[in-house]
């Protein structure tokens, strides 16, 4: 009878030292981030300290003239910002009408538009990228059109989309589709065209069909590059949806920012800006995690 044993390699002293240094570096980086965050809060607090604008000691006259005790910059204090964050996050899904919806509802509309436009772009960009990357003839034929359309700002398509589609929601999804298309397409083309010839020759020797070669050889090899393009596309899409919603109105985090600015509520504007950054960072982390899953070493 054959008994299979598993060899366990002991950790060397150098590997232990490297692991300890990595942990120490992560700890120091975390402390530095906290220190920078504390410094930002301190500067913010000092910049928003109240200033007495009373004229000649007459407080009633100062109130009539817009004086009195205000912050030096007109911005909300960190405490006011914290209160606004708690207020929005404690009840994010209320709905009091067209212009008064919770931040959770506004965010859900924006994310849904981004995901739908992004998915439609992926359905076109990845198969088309495979076709272009596998065929030099198709690449040369389509490259002039790609180079012509790629530099056009996605928002430049908005008037044409509103005129032809006549629906603001679908028009914003179309703009997301346009801005997501090009990074995914170009990265897919590059990833497919960069697959090692040795692997393709092995597939040819084994007489693999075109579909088997595409799914079992080219796709795993090009997956890291394709995921990089998808990651870039998602970042651009999240940038563009804010501007698109400011233009078309209705619902969404971009419309929330514009509406709060019209209401002169800087606290809510800053809260929305922070939330946009947090969601964008979360989306980027998700695609970074997916990229590590498909990464490989040659």
């Amino acid at each position: 009878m054959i008994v299979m044993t598993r060899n366990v390699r002991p950790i060397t002293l150098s590997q232990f030292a490297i692991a300890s240094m990595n942990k120490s570096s992560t700890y120091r980086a975390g402390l530095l981030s906290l220190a920078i965050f504390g410094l930002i809060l301190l500067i913010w607090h000092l910049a928003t300290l109240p200033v007495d604008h009373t004229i000649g000691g007459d407080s009633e006259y100062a109130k009539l003239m817009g004086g009195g005790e205000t912050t030096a910059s007109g911005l909300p204090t960190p405490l006011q910002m914290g209160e606004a964050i708690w207020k929005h996050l404690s009840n994010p899904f209320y709905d009091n009408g067209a212009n008064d919806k919770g931040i959770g509802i506004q965010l859900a509309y924006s994310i849904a538009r981004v995901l739908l436009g992004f998915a439609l772009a992926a359905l076109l960009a990845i198969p088309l990228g495979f076709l272009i990357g596998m065929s030099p003839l198709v690449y040369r034929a389509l490259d002039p059109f790609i180079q012509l359309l790629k530099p056009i700002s996605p928002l430049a398509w908005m008037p044409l989309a509103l005129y032809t589609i006549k629906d603001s929601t679908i028009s914003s999804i179309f703009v997301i589709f346009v801005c997501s298309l090009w990074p995914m397409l170009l990265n897919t083309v590059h990833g497919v065209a960069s697959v090692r010839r040795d692997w393709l020759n092995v597939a040819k020797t084994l007489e693999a069909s075109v579909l088997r070669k595409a799914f079992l050889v080219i796709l795993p090899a090009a997956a890291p590059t394709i995921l990089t393009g998808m990651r870039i596309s998602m970042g651009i899409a999240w940038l563009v949806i804010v501007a698109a919603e400011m233009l078309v109105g209705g619902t969404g985090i971009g419309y929330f920012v514009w509406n709060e600015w019209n209401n002169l509520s800087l606290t809510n504007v800053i809260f929305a800006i922070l939330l946009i950054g947090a969601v964008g960072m979360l989306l980027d982390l998700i695609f970074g995690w997916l990229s590590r899953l498909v990464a490989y070493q040659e």
Side-chain angles (χ1 to χ4, degrees):
M1 185 175 75
I2 300 176
V3 179
M4 301 296 293
T5 59
R6 183 179 178 183
N7 294 326
V8 179
R9 297 178 61 185
I11 299 176
T12 63
L13 184 60
S14 60
Q15 291 174 330
F16 179 77
I18 292 173
S20 300
M21 289 175 62
N22 289 335
K23 289 183 179 179
S24 177
S25 177
T26 303
Y27 179 73
R28 291 198 301 269
L31 287 179
L32 182 59
S33 295
L34 289 176
I36 294 173
F37 180 68
L39 180 62
I40 291 173
L41 288 180
L42 177 61
I43 295 173
W44 187 359
H45 172 71
L46 295 176
T48 55
L49 286 175
V51 177
D52 190 2
H53 292 292
T54 302
I55 302 174
D58 190 344
S59 60
E60 294 297 327
Y61 180 77
K63 290 179 181 179
L64 290 174
M65 297 301 295
E69 195 175 79
T70 60
T71 60
S73 61
L75 296 173
T77 65
L79 180 60
Q80 291 171 337
M81 196 70 244
E83 292 173 349
I85 292 173
W86 173 253
K87 174 186 173 183
H88 285 290
L89 297 184
S90 61
N91 186 20
F93 297 106
Y94 72 87
D95 189 352
N96 295 331
N99 293 325
D100 190 12
K101 298 181 186 295
I103 195 66
I105 296 177
Q106 306 281 13
L107 198 60
Y109 273 102
S110 296
I111 293 175
R113 289 166 183 151
V114 167
L115 293 180
L116 184 55
F118 179 85
L120 292 173
L123 288 176
L124 176 62
I126 295 176
L128 183 59
F130 264 78
L131 177 62
I132 297 173
M134 295 174 67
S135 173
L137 175 62
V138 177
Y139 174 82
R140 287 192 294 270
L142 294 182
D143 185 62
F145 300 99
I146 294 174
Q147 298 305 323
L148 173 67
L149 297 174
K150 179 170 62 94
I152 299 174
S153 169
L155 293 177
W157 293 98
M158 180 62 79
L160 186 61
L162 289 172
Y163 178 77
T164 54
I165 301 173
K166 295 180 173 58
D167 185 278
S168 60
T169 298
I170 300 177
S171 297
S172 61
I173 293 172
F174 172 75
V175 169
I176 296 302
F177 166 81
V178 171
C179 75
S180 302
L181 180 65
W182 305 118
M184 272 192 282
L185 176 63
L186 295 176
N187 273 55
T188 302
V189 171
H190 175 70
V192 171
S194 301
V195 176
R196 289 178 56 177
R197 293 293 129 190
D198 296 344
W199 299 346
L200 297 177
N201 291 335
V202 170
K204 185 177 181 180
T205 302
L206 296 175
E207 298 182 353
S209 64
V210 176
L211 287 178
R212 286 179 64 84
K213 182 172 69 173
F215 282 99
L216 300 180
V217 179
I218 298 177
L219 180 59
T225 308
I226 295 173
L227 259 296
T228 300
M230 296 177 73
R231 186 177 185 178
I232 296 170
S233 291
M234 179 56 73
I236 296 174
W238 188 242
L239 288 172
V240 170
I241 191 61
V242 176
E245 289 173 344
M246 285 182 178
L247 291 175
V248 301
T251 53
I253 191 66
Y255 172 73
F256 177 83
V257 172
W258 190 249
N259 190 49
E260 293 303 319
W261 163 246
N262 289 331
N263 294 332
L264 299 180
S265 178
L266 289 181
T267 305
N268 288 337
V269 170
I270 295 173
F271 166 72
I273 291 172
L274 295 175
L275 188 61
I276 291 168
V279 174
M281 182 177 68
L282 179 61
L283 293 172
D284 187 73
L285 288 174
I286 291 172
F287 277 93
W289 173 71
L290 292 174
S291 297
R292 288 192 295 272
L293 288 181
V294 300
Y296 62 90
Q297 291 183 350
E298 298 185 14

